[in-house]
């Protein structure tokens, strides 16, 4: 297991070329937020926008449109139950994030199936939160795509069948290979299993132990994978930056809120580009 | 009566252990906010989140969902009239805060009864604002729980039957013992009656004399009791911090708004942990 | 005509007594904001809260509840078409502000009549914006109250019948006496006609020439009259502070937004109390 | 082609005369924002308000009213499908901005036709975003007005019929003359074709390559043309300021959000007035 350092940032976050436009920096589609957990998709969206993704569209329950725009006019919105729109918007994205606050109702499952039925191998698909739970419990077929899973340990137990106490690197890697793609296994020291090997994230602070941190990370991975060509590095850099920014804030804060991390992204990424 | 000092903070606010997750820092359920007083439950929720509680769910009138998420995507929401959801969410909480902006209509009473019918002796229950008024006026049976009451002097008169002029420490303590739990009697110098004795809070400023201060304190007590094992100390520390932050702000402000106190919590708690 | 200086501030803004509570600092009821001009009553409300009024309730079109709470959870809300609630809330207030964004429809008139039919001589009533227009155009009977009118020059022409070119101090004072109360005649150099004589406000900047300034001033007069016993001085101090804060901000800004003035109030009032 | 420098700012942004009121600084009407792209018209509106326009009214889908007021109480709102109100409000404006987030549905077309059928030669009309697409694809007749078009290269291809590779200054100027007015052709180095000749904007940064930048620029052009008499200079100054502020922010940020540019406007314009 290789320990991540801020080298992953400079390897990944590139000085932007002068001749570029918003299309150059990718199109992210974020799907989640039912009528109870709307805040989750708001934070994921904000994280993607502040990461620098070129265009961001949020597919969510319509009850979340106003709060999303109140916080973040930079994002576009659509109703995640409108299958035609979902198909069109998901198809147009480079990166798709599904799961934050999606819930586990039949409606949630229906949305997830619509997303899985639309993405293609060229697209990066981040499977987070409720989407992992649904995947574990329901008969949902994973699509061919550049997959990134972001479970915490209990979600990983459900998805992999490996109990938390038995989640060794070897066991985890076996299931990762079965699933394909990258697994970000979140704990107080997050591990990232990738085709290029395993990575350990020693950054991070217990000040981060509050609701919404995972949603924020999912959105950041969305924003990073949309912009940076090397998808593995993009995931690693997002994981590291998320924790490292929290470490900075925790020098002066007892608790670090997800939205506070988000607001530091433009400055932090500026300082670590190359 | 012992006078509170900032020692109560360092005794209570613990440096967080490295190996921890959001579940370590408690689950708070906040219930209140009808269609007129929605701001009260928003402030209580924000206070709990900024105090560092691990997970926060707000049960309120659905008309408050959008304003809550616009300000605070970190919190989850549910309709306080949906009895099944209320039962499930209240049961899952460590700390329950009921009352801020709840109102005194039949619907308010029905919500309060549902909460009281659900909490168990293992849970901390903060009874604030309208919940105290309802408790005083209606035939509501208090549940077995770790009770914290947060009346101002007029609410205490209604609840205890002791007129403001007659609210001596002795008289108050008698009623506290009948009620069980802790009584936070708010005035320009708040007194806290506990099984471990009485405490006087000399911190605080008239700049705080504005609507929403009590709601904010109730939310802070929610956040502190969810995180810190010693429930009496958690209440005392929340009361003291609420006033001491206001004192800091009042050095430069004629009036201190509740939300301004809330935003100082992460920094202030960082400076007073041990 | 006496020219206002910052002496009016120190004469008016008193160091708050230690033994006090939110009731000490008054109860303001603000009425306005139809479905087009909701922002006006939001700004008036924010100005009253940041001025330090103890309790603030906003009676407005229900479509404005969510945006009000998103910005300002410190205020309570009610539907201005619910006559019973309006009567109860207006009756309970020390100061009533009516007009910001009220509009001039039959519904607006009906709300205004309900307010005028409720206030009593002990209350201060600030008549602003649409309320002045309605008063000029419709057969509305002014109530007995401590009246404050806040017209700009065109509104004053409509209300007084004096054309802008003919608005001399003498002519204005004659109509003021007929109306009773105080007239704040807003222009690039606002004049205030009072039973204690006329006052000229030389503070202020063309950077303030933007929509919402008048709504903000009305809310500040609401907050000041609710807190400070001398009602004439409270009006004068609010007018002066509104312009003087704008002058400070205009040292670095081409345009000064109303909400920026509002956010300076707690600091500015702190610096000018005595 | 003349390269823009900050001289265009001091030539355009005038120290405000003491004797002035909000009417002196123009009345802007902004039309756009359907139920998917509401954020676009929010950003355009905020840009116009922060630029210093005296009065701002936003005609949009009613689902955007609350988020607009939550962010910006300074603006007034109306439903863009209410033809009578649209006619009245557009007629009263000095500058009309149409297109940000308007969409391309039959409803969008109907709104656009209503706007085009109302504006008169004395008014400045900024045609942006979806309005350019509709103009390119539908049989819509341009009105007589002081026209400003703000296409990016692909929109210009659709409107002018000139493929991106063939968009030479000469070819562009020919179509500009056919259209009348000013063309702001947005790319990483925006060119502005005007009756007074062509201008090149070398300011700007790839950190700006994110959704909402164009909407923000359209709103700024709205605010500048409403205030400053020379309409060509107003357009040039808005284009230059938009990029130059981004350049400042990009010294410390990897990505610059549209709303961050907006918030710098009052300070930046103050520093560049004469």
């Amino acid at each position: 297991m290789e320990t991540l350092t801020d080298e992953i940032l400079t390897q990944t976050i590139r000085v932007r070329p002068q001749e570029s436009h918003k299309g150059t920096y990718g199109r992210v589609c974020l799907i989640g937020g039912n009528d109870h957990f709307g805040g989750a998709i708001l934070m994921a969206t904000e994280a993607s926008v502040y990461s620098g993704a070129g265009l961001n569209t949020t597919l969510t329950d319509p009850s979340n449109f106003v709060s999303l725009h109140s916080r973040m006019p930079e994002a576009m919105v659509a109703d995640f139950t409108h299958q035609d729109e979902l198909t069109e918007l998901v198809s147009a994205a480079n990166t798709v994030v599904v799961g934050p606050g999606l819930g586990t109702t039949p409606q949630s499952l229906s949305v997830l199936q619509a997303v899985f039925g639309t993405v293609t191998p060229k697209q990066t698909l981040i499977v987070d939160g409720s989407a992992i739970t649904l995947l574990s419990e329901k008969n949902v077929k994973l699509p061919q795509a550049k997959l990134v899973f972001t479970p915490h340990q209990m979600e990983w137990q459900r998805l992999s069948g490996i109990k938390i106490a038995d989640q060794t690197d070897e066991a985890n890697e076996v299931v990762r290979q079965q699933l394909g793609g990258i697994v970000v296994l979140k704990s107080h020291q997050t591990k990232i299993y990738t085709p290029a090997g395993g990575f350990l994230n020693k950054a991070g602070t217990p000040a981060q132990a509050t609701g919404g941190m995972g949603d924020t990370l999912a959105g950041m991975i969305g924003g990073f994978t949309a912009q940076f060509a090397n998808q593995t590095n993009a995931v690693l850099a997002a994981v590291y930056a998320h924790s490292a920014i929290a470490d900075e804030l925790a020098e002066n804060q007892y608790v670090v809120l997800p939205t506070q991390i988000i607001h530091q992204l433009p400055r932090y990424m500026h300082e670590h580009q190359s």
Side-chain angles (χ1 to χ4, degrees), chain A residues 64-101:
Chain A
N64 299 317
F65 288 2
V66 169
S67 45
L68 180 66
H69 273 147
S70 293
R71 296 185 62 84
M72 185 87 316
E74 286 87 354
M76 293 164 285
V77 295
D79 183 340
F80 63 9
T81 67
H82 289 187
Q83 176 110 24
D84 286 357
E85 290 189 279
L86 183 145
T87 303
E88 184 186 335
L89 290 163
V90 167
S91 298
N94 303 96
T95 288
V96 176
V97 179
V98 66

Side-chain angles (χ1 to χ4, degrees), chain A residues 6 40 72 83 103 118 134 141 215 221 235 255 263 270 274:
Chain A
D6 59 11
M72 185 87 316
Q83 176 110 24
T118 306
L134 286 169
K141 192 175 153 21
D215 309 309
I221 296 176
V235 172
V255 61
H263 296 150
H270 176 82
S274 79

Side-chain angles (χ1 to χ4, degrees), chain A residues 98 109 111-119 125 127 131 134-145 147 149 159 178-179:
Chain A
V98 66
L109 180 60
V111 170
L112 186 68
Q113 286 170 325
V115 173
F116 280 10
T118 306
V119 295
L125 176 64
V127 184
L134 286 169
L135 192 59
S136 311
E137 296 177 354
K138 307 289 176 184
N139 186 17
V140 193
K141 192 175 153 21
L142 270 172
Q144 293 290 322
L147 292 165
F149 301 89
L159 181 60
Q178 291 164 358
L179 289 168

